Amino acid sequence: MKVSTMNCSELLHLNYIPTVWEVFDALGNIGIFLVSVTGIATVLVFAIFFQESIYLFHHWPRQQCFLTLLCLNTFPFAAGGFFISMVFPNLAETAKTIILIYLPVSLVVYFRLMINYGGGEKVILRKLFGQEMILQGPPLCCLCFCCDKPPLTRRRFFFLKCSVYQLALTPVLLATAKYIGIEYGIFIEGLLSPYNAAPYISVISTLSMMFGVYSLVIFSRIAAASIKDFQMTHKFAPLQANFLLIRLQVIIFGIVGRAEAFPCIYPVSSTMTGHYISSAVIIGEAFILAVIARAIFLHPPPYSMWPVQSSICDNSSISQISVSEQDSMNSGLESLNSV
């Protein structure tokens, strides 16, 4: 069947992907304006990240600077990926898959950054051992409203750590299962059937996201008092918002697009219209969150890190004083000997 004879339902059924020139022809000035604005926003997000890199490189230790940049690069990565998917529509699904795989990495790196601020796993566990775990937190706050506050133990810390780490592993496994299901014809988006792999993968992905974020929220609350000088509660907010907003919007816009709720402007199907709208919204949110993260993350090392540096300076000054005194004593002895 030729594309010229397709109607909107057939475009949706065959999952037809238009070229960028077909998109511009269909959307006209609106499409050009949308791509131009999102392109400017994407460039600004990369400029913010470049400025953050320079500041952190000059003010923070190398390991903490590296971990912080791995957290912050989630904003340019998301903005750049979705902008590429707008310019090259045939790469839309690949770009979304890569972004959804990479997004949890920023949360796992944030978990490692908290441990690094606390002095390492052994040190921070020694500090937090026996403290109460507040279980009333998102996204399972309703289920754990009446739960007790158990103390943190080594086993519970290990469980929290595994729950956070699976955030980065599960999307890779599910993406592999998805493409295998597509290859064998057992993965169909939007079809509720016991023989379709899509609902099972969606449920597993949602549970993985909920338990991973929930474990990270619990640990962040416990560690906040121990490393309060690093403003970890504020730093977690834009990273968590970016992760949840992108995940939810990709799912919601995909469902609404497949339901033909978005306008179909031939040859742009409702799913592609939803993709362009969601990409523009996500890029705008990435810019706003990048600005907020810049204001939170760009601060000099807290005072608690200064004693180590000051002690080194004090030791060096003491050694310089002792050397000068020794030189003066030697010169005095030489003058006495000459007399």
Side-chain angles (χ1 to χ4, degrees):
M1 181 180 296
K2 296 182 179 180
V3 178
S4 58
T5 63
M6 292 183 186
N7 56 30
C8 290
S9 299
E10 290 170 334
L11 288 174
L12 185 63
H13 177 71
L14 296 177
N15 196 22
Y16 177 73
I17 300 175
T19 64
V20 65
W21 306 116
E22 290 176 335
V23 173
F24 286 154
D25 289 338
L27 300 181
N29 293 330
I30 296 177
I32 298 174
F33 175 78
L34 195 64
V35 173
S36 301
V37 172
T38 52
I40 294 173
T42 303
V43 172
L44 291 176
V45 172
F46 275 90
I48 292 173
F49 179 73
F50 181 72
Q51 194 259 344
E52 291 168 341
S53 303
I54 295 175
Y55 180 90
L56 293 171
F57 181 79
H58 287 291
H59 291 84
W60 284 82
R62 293 295 175 264
Q63 186 176 10
Q64 295 174 358
C65 171
F66 177 71
L67 291 174
T68 304
L69 290 177
L70 283 180
C71 290
L72 293 174
N73 73 349
T74 184
F75 305 113
F77 191 88
F82 278 101
F83 181 72
I84 290 174
S85 70
M86 294 177 69
V87 178
F88 303 100
N90 58 324
L91 298 178
E93 288 300 321
T94 303
K96 283 192 291 188
T97 301
I98 295 175
I99 291 171
L100 291 178
I101 290 175
Y102 185 78
L103 276 179
V105 175
S106 63
L107 298 183
V108 177
V109 174
Y110 168 79
F111 177 74
R112 296 303 311 175
L113 183 62
M114 282 193 296
I115 293 176
N116 185 274
Y117 284 156
E121 283 193 16
K122 294 182 179 179
V123 176
I124 197 169
L125 182 58
R126 192 183 310 120
K127 293 178 181 178
L128 304 179
F129 188 84
Q131 294 192 17
E132 293 182 343
M133 299 170 57
I134 302 176
L135 302 181
Q136 292 80 14
L140 301 179
C141 51
C142 297
L143 298 178
C144 303
F145 183 77
C146 299
C147 294
D148 295 331
K149 298 178 181 179
L152 180 67
T153 61
R154 292 183 181 274
R155 180 174 297 180
R156 287 171 179 152
F157 174 74
F158 178 76
F159 177 79
L160 292 176
K161 183 170 66 173
C162 292
S163 182
V164 173
Y165 284 167
Q166 63 84 28
L167 275 173
L169 179 62
T170 304
V172 178
L173 299 178
L174 294 181
T176 304
K178 175 182 175 179
Y179 281 104
I180 293 175
I182 293 174
E183 184 68 22
Y184 287 93
I186 58 174
F187 183 93
I188 303 174
E189 291 280 0
L191 177 62
L192 293 177
S193 172
Y195 304 102
N196 183 21
Y200 302 105
I201 291 178
S202 298
V203 170
I204 296 174
S205 177
T206 303
L207 292 176
S208 169
M209 178 190 70
M210 291 176 62
F211 282 104
V213 174
Y214 180 62
S215 300
L216 193 55
V217 169
I218 292 175
F219 184 78
S220 298
R221 289 181 172 180
I222 302 174
S226 177
I227 51 178
K228 60 182 179 180
D229 295 335
F230 294 92
Q231 306 176 15
M232 297 310 298
T233 304
H234 301 294
K235 292 178 179 179
F236 181 49
L239 300 176
Q240 182 186 16
N242 186 63
F243 173 75
L244 294 177
L245 286 174
I246 292 178
R247 286 290 301 266
L248 293 175
Q249 286 174 178
V250 168
I251 295 173
I252 293 173
F253 277 88
I255 295 174
V256 175
R258 286 190 296 271
E260 301 186 42
F262 290 117
C264 172
I265 307 173
Y266 181 85
V268 180
S269 64
S270 60
T271 55
M272 289 304 301
T273 304
H275 167 68
Y276 272 84
I277 296 174
S278 65
S279 298
V281 172
I282 289 172
I283 292 174
E285 292 169 349
F287 171 71
I288 295 173
L289 292 175
V291 173
I292 296 173
R294 177 189 175 279
I296 297 173
F297 277 87
L298 294 196
H299 62 85
Y303 184 76
S304 58
M305 296 180 63
W306 291 3
V308 177
Q309 299 176 358
S310 61
S311 62
I312 294 175
C313 297
D314 293 341
N315 292 333
S316 62
S317 60
I318 292 172
S319 61
Q320 290 177 358
I321 293 173
S322 61
V323 170
S324 61
E325 290 177 352
Q326 187 176 359
D327 292 339
S328 61
M329 291 175 63
N330 290 335
S331 61
L333 289 175
E334 290 177 358
S335 62
L336 289 175
N337 291 331
S338 61
V339 173

